[in-house]
Amino acid sequence: MSAGERQEGVVSPDEKGTPRPWWHWRRLTRGRWRPAVAAAVAGALLGGTGVAWQTGAGPFGRERACWGAFGEDDVADLFHGRRDIKASEVGVSHDRIASEGPSGSCELLSPRGHRVRARLHRLDVRFGGAGDKWADEFLSARMTPLGGGLLGMVSDTRAWLAVPEGCTGRGSEDDGPLVVDMETGWTTYDDVVDTGERARLARAVVKLVNDYMAERGCDSPIADPTPRLAAPARFTDEERTAFCGVQGLRLPGRDRESRYERPLVTGGTAAPVRTCDRDVLFGHPRLRLMTVEDPRLAVLYQGLSYDGGRRVTAAGDGEGQVRGRGFLREDMGLFQASCQTGDVTFLIRAANGGRAADIRGLLPRYVALEADRIGCGPLRLSLPKA
C-alpha cells in the first residue's frame, strides 16, 4: 500500500453530521478480553443488536485496536486522517505445548481496501532460520535500522521490532527473538522510500511493543525512533574491486559487469544486518549477500549451519579450536562464526542453482573481508573440492 493509496481526504460524515466510527465488532475478541466475556458480548451484538455496528451506532465507539495499543488517533495517523477504519484481530495467546511463545495478529482495513497488518510472533529458528519469505521482506536492503540499540528495522511498507530481552522478549539464547512486525501491502524494490510513511510505521511498531511490555509490568517504554532514522538506501554504481560495496571483493568471471544490476545495500550504521540485494523480482533477490551481525538474529541460522550441503570450515581449525561452521551448495553458501560479541552469520544466497560458481567464488573472500570489518577476523575458509 503506497502513500498515495492511503491519502484519500477527510472522513465523510453520516446523515447526522458525525464521522463514521472506525471500530468493528470483530475487535471484541481482543487478547485483553477474557474469552468468555468476549464471546458473550460478541454474541449479544450479533444477536440482539446485530445491526448496530453496521449502521455505525455501536456502543464501543471509543474502543482501542490491535490488542488495545492503538487509539482512534493512532489508527488515523496510519491512514492519513481517515477514521472509517475497521479492525479485526486474533488476541495474544501462548502455545504451551510447542513452547513457541506468544502470538497474535491484527488487521486494519479501510473501506477502499487498504490494509495494515501487524503480528506478534517468535521468529522460528527451525527450517532454515527465519525462512526465505520473512528474511526477504524484513531483512531486505530497503530496510533502515531503527537505531538506539533497538533490534528492528523499517521501510515505507515494512517494520519490525524485537521485544527487549529484559522484558520477556526471549527465553534463552537458543530462542529466536519475539518480534512485532507490520506490513502495508506489496513491497516495491526501487530505491525511492517515502520517509513520511516510514516514520508512521516506525511510530506504530514502537507503540505496539510498548503496549505489550506495559501489559507485563515494564515501566521503560521505547522512545520515538524517527528523529534518528538514517537516509534510505540508494542504488549505487560500484567499483570492479568493491562488489556490493565491500572493498576488495570481486565477482569472478569475465562477464561480471553484465550479470547483475546495481546493488542496494543496507543504509545507516549499527545495523543488526548488512544486506546487499541484486536484481530483486517479486520480492526475491536474484543474489543476496548478508552479514547478520546481531547474535539475536544470527541464532535464526544456527540450525541451518549444521544441516546444509558440503561442509565449510575455517582454515587452521582442528579438534582444539573450532571458530565456526558452515556449508556450500549450489544456491547458498553460509558460515556462522563465533566472534567476541557472539555468533555472526555470513550468507550468500541465489534465487536458484544457476549462480553456483558466483557463490563459490565470492564466499571465502566475502567472509574474510566482512569478518575483518566487524572485528571478527582473521577468518579464512576452507571450501570443499569442486
Side-chain angles (χ1 to χ4, degrees), residues 30 37 39 49 67-68 153 189 205 216 218 223 314:
R30 280 198 353 245
V37 176
T49 58
W67 318 304
M153 306 180 81
Y189 274 81
V205 76
R216 280 141 191 84
C218 302

Side-chain angles (χ1 to χ4, degrees), residues 221-275:
I222 298 169
D224 180 2
T226 56
R228 60 171 176 263
L229 292 178
R234 295 287 187 182
F235 288 117
T236 57
D237 295 319
E238 62 187 353
E239 304 172 14
R240 295 180 63 181
T241 58
F243 188 76
C244 276
V246 180
Q247 289 294 330
L249 186 64
R250 291 175 177 265
L251 183 66
R254 296 179 180 179
D255 62 338
R256 51 182 173 266
E257 285 81 8
S258 63
R259 267 183 275 169
Y260 300 103
E261 299 292 335
R262 293 183 301 165
L264 193 65
V265 181
T266 304
T269 59
V273 56
R274 181 190 186 274
T275 300

